[in-house]
Amino acid sequence: MGSFTDYPCSDARKFLLLWCCLSVLAVASLGSKTRHFKWQVEYLYWSPDGVENVVMGINGRFPGPTISAKVGDTISVHLTNKLQTEGVVIHWHGIRQFGTPWADGTASISQCVINPGENFVYRFEVDKAGTFFYHGHYGMQRSAGLYGSLIVDVAEGKREPFHYDGEFSLLLSDWWHKDVHQQEVDLTSKPFRWIGEPQVMTLTLKKLNDDVQEDEQTIRISAFDSANQRKRAVQLFPSGALWQLVVVNTVHAKGKRAVRAPDSPRAAEQDVQAEGGQHHRIGITQLGDRGQWVVKDMYLFSAILRTLLIIHVSFVLVSQNHSMIVVEADGNYLQPFSTTDMDIYSGETYSVLFTTNQDPSKNYWISASVRGREPKTPQALTILNYSPISASNLPPSLPPVSPRWDDYDHSKSFTNKILSLMGSPKPPSDYHRRISLLNTQNTINGYTRWAINNVSLSLPTSPYLGSIKFGLNNAFDRKNPPDNFSSLYEITNPPVNPNSTYGNGVYMLDFNTTIDVILQNANALKANVSEIHPWHLHGHDFWVLGYGQGKFSAKDEAKFNLKNPPLRNTAVIFPYGWTALRFVANNPGAWAFHCHIEPHLHMGMGVVFAEGVHHVGRIPNEALACGLTGKMLMNNNRN
Amino acid sequence: MGSFTDYPCSDARKFLLLWCCLSVLAVASLGSKTRHFKWQVEYLYWSPDGVENVVMGINGRFPGPTISAKVGDTISVHLTNKLQTEGVVIHWHGIRQFGTPWADGTASISQCVINPGENFVYRFEVDKAGTFFYHGHYGMQRSAGLYGSLIVDVAEGKREPFHYDGEFSLLLSDWWHKDVHQQEVDLTSKPFRWIGEPQVMTLTLKKLNDDVQEDEQTIRISAFDSANQRKRAVQLFPSGALWQLVVVNTVHAKGKRAVRAPDSPRAAEQDVQAEGGQHHRIGITQLGDRGQWVVKDMYLFSAILRTLLIIHVSFVLVSQNHSMIVVEADGNYLQPFSTTDMDIYSGETYSVLFTTNQDPSKNYWISASVRGREPKTPQALTILNYSPISASNLPPSLPPVSPRWDDYDHSKSFTNKILSLMGSPKPPSDYHRRISLLNTQNTINGYTRWAINNVSLSLPTSPYLGSIKFGLNNAFDRKNPPDNFSSLYEITNPPVNPNSTYGNGVYMLDFNTTIDVILQNANALKANVSEIHPWHLHGHDFWVLGYGQGKFSAKDEAKFNLKNPPLRNTAVIFPYGWTALRFVANNPGAWAFHCHIEPHLHMGMGVVFAEGVHHVGRIPNEALACGLTGKMLMNNNRN
């Protein structure tokens, strides 16, 4: 691994860390700044669920470091590929990359991959507050573990439209024991081999906004079998191998108290004067063997939980007895609403507020369960622990029962509550072009694929951004992919003719026009199966104008919500349903739009949009050093 | 996998195949020719030993296709990388690449790797008859299964200095169940994790020189446990999952007989008039379920077995009752000698003649066992089957007992028999420069490494060939690595100071000078351990002037064999011993010289030589499209 440094906050070197962090604070107070990070991507041994496995980590850790920034900051990540034989890229999910489309981190689309031993600097501005994340966007490197959180707070002196006392990031993911290279082979095998369901769901919780920089105080909570949860919880929690969240909640006399971390040279004094004269504080107890945090005293507490869903399955998150107030989605403020459970699809992010206002003599369950697929993965459980009760005291009641995996009415009810906060940007009242995208499962020469309007995306060797900018006509299919599908297509049946074709054409969008996309779901290859697909758009947010059942038709337009549709970058299509989106093609570049379930993208479930590429500035050579752009630049020179 | 074609002989399309093969014959008779191959490298599910696993294959098969050519032919392999995220290169082991150093297929040395989706054409002349092979030379892709045979016969109208009736290629390899990516992580972990011994040794036998193109009639013989060989053999052989060699041996009346392959549209008539009026023929019985070859009648048979050793461990090959006459090594003729067992080290190739002159009413064992490492892998066994006896009739005696793994006297005795055929090129009588290379096991920052003169090779991002040609001074260490080591170094003890350093400097050799290399073995990190290392030189053959025990000293020179030293490209150093080599630096290019045990190379056990690079012709752009050469060519163009 050699020497690796994570600017501004190295995890390894305490002194430098303190110095770094003080520097950050000093500079931050002067306004927006550039935050430099130096990352190395490499494979590591890790035990995400107690079973040792190889994961793709950053700077020796998994998940990767959390980036915390403020609106207006520039993020500069100097990435070195320390893998042995694999290229790598990192996508900054939810960041629109205005003016820096080559930093979107999508292989074959925005840049050439970073080859082993080589570097690339991702430099981009974060222009909106919200919950974001980053992840690999090449092969199935997201599934391999290449991801982390990216949290953008409001600029210095600005305020969020809600209040909270503490802040956590919660990464929800799933984990397969099978090596991702083998998963890739499975998905491209003839006959097809489905990779199966994940072995576990993982919840990775980090405390944020803490001077003490608790990046290392990651809380890893393995899923355990709900049928045996009591027995296994007792086995798991005191083992010292796992970490857990402790929300302390006792009455606290006014004044300063020391929060001491034994085995650590650091002690921080924190004291927050809250509304009504009460004190608020968050404590983390880490039960690992690398040091222990203990908070002695406590408070009524209100926290923001920023949740991000990384991989394949959709989750329902349930917080026992504690209602959650959803206030942000995909970096956009929502009309706050209260819920005790929430659906989260791969690629979505939320902020939720919750308050520790229940009986402080007990602990409570937090659970996550599979949504939209028949669950073969155990419910993930952790404990909301009221101090000073021991964290190993299990809640007296059984874990909350999640809604049935196929209770789509429940899901739709949740989804329909998501509306933009008053004062949010409104969509244009009309569109210039409508693109209807039929999602079907197909076969090509015996291979199982997903296709959009009967074209299964097969990414080209030369990234689109450079190819389009330099007019390299052989880099991809010049034929435009279809804007529509046959009106006769019967979405409730398996395809009559399942054959599809590979393609990699581009939807060329007129710059600054308004685009409507109607995502149309259909039956898969097997009868009576239609899956959930969360579609994610790069480079833009879109307004979600509406969801509906069956085949979209002109009359459905009347139901569009043009008043307060939520701005998102990811939206789900329900089984046999449609979802209508609107966005303005105002970001020069080439942008992926795809199902965020990684195996589905790998099987061709995506399209590519491009707009205003002639407005794109000088693309760094490193992003062009492959395929036809590389050839062009090198040939010109040697002739 | 799409459509893949293997020119000139597609395995899938029988008609085209026949047409292709006839074409080859037609052209071949006119003299040397260019043989075109179109290959796709991809991961496949395969069961090398009955356990399904992911292997790196070519055109849907493992091992890759056998290339058969004649001296003077040009081989042209159009390679497409169909891996998802990994680069790839292929090294043509034993081919010296005069005039085409960029086709040597070594990542970081001769070329930039071929990125996923991209192509590279390996075009080179085969200028010597002999047994060669090809394999991946990036990360541990050789261990992943990327290899195959390359057999060069004498030119049309020329004769070998020995006679045989049939020809086989036998690939000896070893196989791990652990994924190679995980093996790579093991080897670069702190603390170090040794990957352990292979689960099995594999013997892959192919019949060669057959118009019927038996590429697909690959014989895969899994190793099985020698302790239970009888029981397991009975289980394995009739199962239909394995293949075995049948050498048929009955009296045959003069005339043509049909050799029929049931379940195949092809029938071939073969009839060879041998010396003394006897007939000779070889038959293959394939017990797999994809068709079966049966030969009804048979002969006294003499065959050439071309053996190649691919991966890590060293093998001893034993043929029960049948002596083998060794006639060729690494593409150079030897003074023929007879043996019943032979040591083969990773990277070595041999031709041996054997005659089916034993009691034809029995079958016989052929075995392979681990050499030079305490064996934890079962002896590999197969049957030499005399037709018409059933191949499932086990030999009446127990399998041959191999020499003890650490019977180095036995190994040295075999090695010392290897001398060049009279009339072979002789070494220059003196050298211009002597380089003494001490092989030690070391640690760097807690990582376990191998080092040469205390430098552990860490390959650069920019391949040497282009960097040297274009004078890119920052591409690698400009400091020359040391030509010698301290005369005080105590080779029989673990290193007093085990610390080493990473390095990637080059031994710059004066063009057309004679170089002596003294390879000096030593004790590893652990007391009383000194391992075997087979060192392989690219771009050249060397004369092996001698082997000795202990530390080499000036007086050992007197023992050098300058009369008939064998020409090789791979030579072993025995524990605590030295090996003296001589070669002429007459091949413009940059050339690896390294231990051929893949994990050892991965751990730094190699050096790089370069000579006459200013004489190198125009390097194809594709070989330069990475690192600093790529940057240079692209920058020049955009400025």
Side-chain angles (χ1 to χ4, degrees), chain A residues 46-340:
Chain A
W46 210 266
S47 305
D49 61 342
V51 178
E52 192 180 63
N53 217 320
V54 167
V55 304
M56 195 173 279
I58 296 173
N59 290 2
R61 65 171 85 161
F62 163 82
T66 298
I67 294 182
S68 293
K70 289 185 191 300
V71 168
D73 286 351
T74 296
I75 306 296
S76 173
V77 177
H78 181 280
L79 190 77
T80 302
N81 180 355
K82 299 292 279 184
L83 303 171
Q84 303 286 341
T85 55
E86 284 179 73
V88 77
V89 291
I90 290 188
H91 168 58
W92 314 91
H93 184 110
I95 307 300
R96 290 170 297 170
Q97 303 286 357
F98 275 113
T100 53
W102 51 79
D104 193 44
T106 42
S108 287
I109 300 172
S110 65
Q111 70 167 117
C112 294
V113 301
I114 310 163
N115 282 327
E118 308 221 33
N119 312 302
F120 188 82
V121 178
Y122 287 102
R123 197 180 161 87
F124 54 89
E125 193 187 328
V126 288
D127 63 349
K128 285 173 68 178
T131 310
F132 306 101
F133 64 110
Y134 61 83
H135 60 78
H137 213 294
Y138 187 40
M140 288 178 63
Q141 294 182 343
R142 171 155 51 102
S143 295
L146 185 57
Y147 51 76
S149 300
L150 196 176
I151 307 295
V152 182
D153 281 311
V154 291
E156 204 70 31
K158 303 272 180 185
R159 295 195 62 160
E160 302 268 5
F162 37 80
H163 171 76
Y164 54 91
D165 305 305
E167 188 174 357
F168 299 87
S169 113
L170 175 64
L171 277 169
L172 303 170
S173 196
D174 36 22
W175 186 252
W176 271 254
H177 291 165
K178 195 179 221 181
D179 172 81
V180 291
H181 298 95
Q182 202 158 336
Q183 291 186 35
E184 287 172 355
V185 180
D186 284 346
L187 296 172
T188 53
S189 284
K190 186 164 73 171
F192 181 66
R193 299 178 181 217
W194 176 239
I195 56 173
E197 303 301 318
Q199 271 62 57
V200 296
M201 295 184 287
T202 59
L203 313 178
T204 307
L205 199 100
K206 293 191 186 191
K207 189 181 174 188
L208 297 172
N209 286 356
D210 188 339
D211 300 0
V212 192
Q213 287 296 329
E214 287 185 80
D215 252 0
E216 273 308 271
Q217 305 303 321
T218 302
I219 297 170
R220 290 178 214 296
I221 303 152
S222 284
F224 48 93
D225 183 354
S226 61
N228 302 305
Q229 79 279 358
R230 288 176 163 275
K231 190 168 137 245
R232 294 199 51 193
V234 172
Q235 290 170 341
L236 289 176
F237 279 73
S239 75
L242 293 165
W243 309 56
Q244 67 183 293
L245 164 66
V246 181
V247 177
V248 286
N249 193 349
T250 63
V251 176
H252 172 53
K254 227 167 177 178
K256 289 187 185 294
R257 296 269 178 128
V259 181
R260 179 143 186 90
D263 306 326
S264 153
R266 296 173 280 142
E269 284 201 319
Q270 296 180 306
D271 191 23
V272 183
Q273 184 76 33
E275 310 303 313
Q278 276 192 310
H279 286 77
H280 300 70
R281 190 182 289 171
I282 182 70
I284 303 275
T285 290
Q286 179 256 85
L287 297 180
D289 50 7
R290 286 183 287 167
Q292 188 160 352
W293 281 84
V294 180
V295 178
K296 297 285 187 201
D297 23 46
M298 236 332 331
Y299 322 94
L300 179 65
F301 175 75
S302 158
I304 189 169
L305 194 62
R306 296 171 175 281
T307 67
L308 313 102
L309 184 65
I310 302 292
I311 309 283
H312 307 107
V313 301
S314 307
F315 281 32
V316 57
L317 185 72
V318 182
S319 173
Q320 192 180 39
N321 288 38
H322 295 72
S323 65
M324 301 178 282
I325 300 169
V326 185
V327 294
E328 179 236 317
D330 298 0
N332 297 288
Y333 295 128
L334 301 181
Q335 195 64 35
F337 66 95
S338 180
T339 184
T340 53

Side-chain angles (χ1 to χ4, degrees), chain A residues 229-230 320-321 359 361-365 389 393-399:
Chain A
Q229 79 279 358
R230 288 176 163 275
Q320 192 180 39
N321 288 38
D359 176 357
S361 68
K362 296 193 288 189
N363 290 329
Y364 299 86
W365 292 110
I389 302 170
N393 277 10
L394 293 188
S397 55
L398 286 175

Side-chain angles (χ1 to χ4, degrees), chain B residues 245-283:
Chain B
L245 166 65
V246 181
V247 177
V248 286
N249 194 347
T250 64
V251 176
H252 172 53
K254 225 168 178 176
K256 289 186 186 296
R257 295 271 178 126
V259 181
R260 177 142 188 92
D263 306 328
S264 154
R266 296 174 280 142
E269 285 200 319
Q270 296 181 306
D271 189 23
V272 184
Q273 184 77 33
E275 311 301 312
Q278 276 192 309
H279 285 79
H280 299 68
R281 191 182 287 171
I282 181 71

Side-chain angles (χ1 to χ4, degrees), chain A residues 1 45 186 447 621 635 638, chain B residues 1 45 186 447 621 638:
Chain A
M1 281 184 283
Y45 272 104
D186 284 346
Y447 295 96
N621 273 2
N635 277 337
R638 294 190 79 182
Chain B
M1 277 184 285
Y45 272 104
D186 284 347
Y447 294 95
N621 273 2
R638 294 192 79 182

Side-chain angles (χ1 to χ4, degrees), chain B residues 130-174:
Chain B
T131 310
F132 306 101
F133 63 111
Y134 61 84
H135 60 78
H137 213 294
Y138 186 39
M140 288 178 64
Q141 293 182 344
R142 173 157 48 104
S143 295
L146 185 57
Y147 51 75
S149 300
L150 196 176
I151 308 296
V152 183
D153 281 312
V154 290
E156 205 69 28
K158 303 272 181 183
R159 296 193 61 159
E160 302 268 6
F162 38 79
H163 172 77
Y164 54 92
D165 307 303
E167 187 174 358
F168 299 87
S169 114
L170 175 64
L171 277 169
L172 303 169
S173 196
D174 37 22

Side-chain angles (χ1 to χ4, degrees), chain B residues 64-278:
Chain B
T66 297
I67 293 182
S68 294
K70 290 186 190 299
V71 168
D73 287 350
T74 296
I75 306 295
S76 172
V77 177
H78 181 279
L79 191 78
T80 301
N81 180 355
K82 300 291 279 184
L83 303 171
Q84 302 285 342
T85 54
E86 286 181 70
V88 78
V89 291
I90 290 187
H91 168 58
W92 313 92
H93 185 109
I95 307 299
R96 290 170 298 170
Q97 303 286 358
F98 275 113
T100 53
W102 51 80
D104 193 42
T106 42
S108 287
I109 300 172
S110 66
Q111 70 167 116
C112 294
V113 300
I114 310 162
N115 282 329
E118 307 221 33
N119 312 301
F120 187 81
V121 178
Y122 287 102
R123 197 182 160 85
F124 54 88
E125 194 188 327
V126 288
D127 63 348
K128 286 174 67 176
T131 310
F132 306 101
F133 63 111
Y134 61 84
H135 60 78
H137 213 294
Y138 186 39
M140 288 178 64
Q141 293 182 344
R142 173 157 48 104
S143 295
L146 185 57
Y147 51 75
S149 300
L150 196 176
I151 308 296
V152 183
D153 281 312
V154 290
E156 205 69 28
K158 303 272 181 183
R159 296 193 61 159
E160 302 268 6
F162 38 79
H163 172 77
Y164 54 92
D165 307 303
E167 187 174 358
F168 299 87
S169 114
L170 175 64
L171 277 169
L172 303 169
S173 196
D174 37 22
W175 186 252
W176 271 255
H177 290 165
K178 196 178 219 180
D179 172 81
V180 290
H181 298 96
Q182 203 159 335
Q183 291 187 34
E184 286 172 355
V185 180
D186 284 347
L187 296 172
T188 53
S189 284
K190 186 165 73 171
F192 181 66
R193 299 179 181 215
W194 176 238
I195 56 172
E197 303 302 319
Q199 271 64 56
V200 297
M201 294 183 288
T202 60
L203 313 179
T204 305
L205 198 101
K206 292 191 187 192
K207 189 181 175 189
L208 296 172
N209 287 354
D210 188 341
D211 299 0
V212 193
Q213 288 296 329
E214 287 185 81
D215 254 359
E216 275 308 271
Q217 305 305 322
T218 302
I219 297 170
R220 291 178 213 297
I221 302 151
S222 283
F224 48 94
D225 183 354
S226 60
N228 301 304
Q229 77 282 357
R230 287 176 163 277
K231 189 169 137 245
R232 293 198 52 192
V234 172
Q235 291 170 341
L236 288 176
F237 279 74
S239 74
L242 293 165
W243 309 55
Q244 68 184 290
L245 166 65
V246 181
V247 177
V248 286
N249 194 347
T250 64
V251 176
H252 172 53
K254 225 168 178 176
K256 289 186 186 296
R257 295 271 178 126
V259 181
R260 177 142 188 92
D263 306 328
S264 154
R266 296 174 280 142
E269 285 200 319
Q270 296 181 306
D271 189 23
V272 184
Q273 184 77 33
E275 311 301 312
Q278 276 192 309

